[in-house]
Amino acid sequence: REDATNLDPDKYARNKVRLQLVPPLTELAEGPEALRRRLQALSDQSNKISDWLEELADIEMTKRHTKCNFSPAGLALDEWHKLPEPLRHHLISKLIGNMNAPPTYSHLLDIDQRILYAESRE
């Protein structure tokens, strides 16, 4: 049995993706199996990068403090700008990770820019 709302791309975002985004992606990838393989490869790559960032963040945190005592004060501001931007963002996420939801990318950028601005004022 087909629910009529499944055919309305404006009803739900998932419908828009399934009805308007997936078909051209499938065509560009030259078939559904090729699209599945490409998406799986992107997922695998993303997971590897995420694991690598986690390792780098753990190294940075261990250099400065034990993981449970790491604080922004443990990393001198003049060192912050030397860290790669993705690592800075990951460290920010870890530092505020006890929140109910992870910060959005725009929040990470904002926090990072505020730290960089504070650094430039020293």
Side-chain angles (χ1 to χ4, degrees):
R1 167 177 163 248
E2 182 68 29
D3 183 345
T5 62
N6 286 339
L7 301 175
D8 182 1
D10 297 321
K11 184 73 175 173
Y12 301 108
R14 69 175 183 268
N15 290 352
K16 187 170 281 204
V17 168
R18 187 178 70 255
L19 298 171
Q20 295 179 344
L21 183 62
V22 171
L25 288 175
T26 302
E27 184 179 334
L28 286 169
E30 299 179 354
E33 185 57 28
L35 177 61
R36 189 200 65 72
R37 284 192 310 270
R38 287 181 184 208
L39 291 174
Q40 184 62 54
L42 284 171
S43 176
D44 292 345
Q45 182 182 27
S46 178
N47 288 334
K48 287 176 184 176
I49 291 169
S50 180
D51 291 346
W52 177 64
L53 272 175
E54 186 67 24
E55 288 176 31
L56 290 176
D58 285 346
I59 290 167
E60 282 300 318
M61 292 170 77
T62 302
K63 277 189 214 175
R64 276 114 180 111
H65 296 285
T66 63
K67 289 181 189 179
C68 60
N69 292 329
F70 184 78
S71 69
L75 182 63
L77 285 179
D78 64 341
E79 296 177 27
W80 186 254
H81 77 278
K82 296 175 186 174
L83 298 173
E85 183 178 8
L87 179 56
R88 293 194 316 256
H89 295 171
H90 195 73
L91 285 166
I92 293 167
S93 290
K94 288 178 76 76
L95 289 169
I96 60 177
N98 293 334
M99 298 170 61
N100 290 337
T104 64
Y105 184 66
S106 62
H107 286 129
L108 290 175
L109 289 174
D110 183 54
I111 294 166
D112 187 34
Q113 288 304 307
R114 288 171 187 261
I115 294 170
L116 291 171
Y117 177 73
E119 174 187 35
S120 70
R121 296 188 62 180
E122 281 194 343

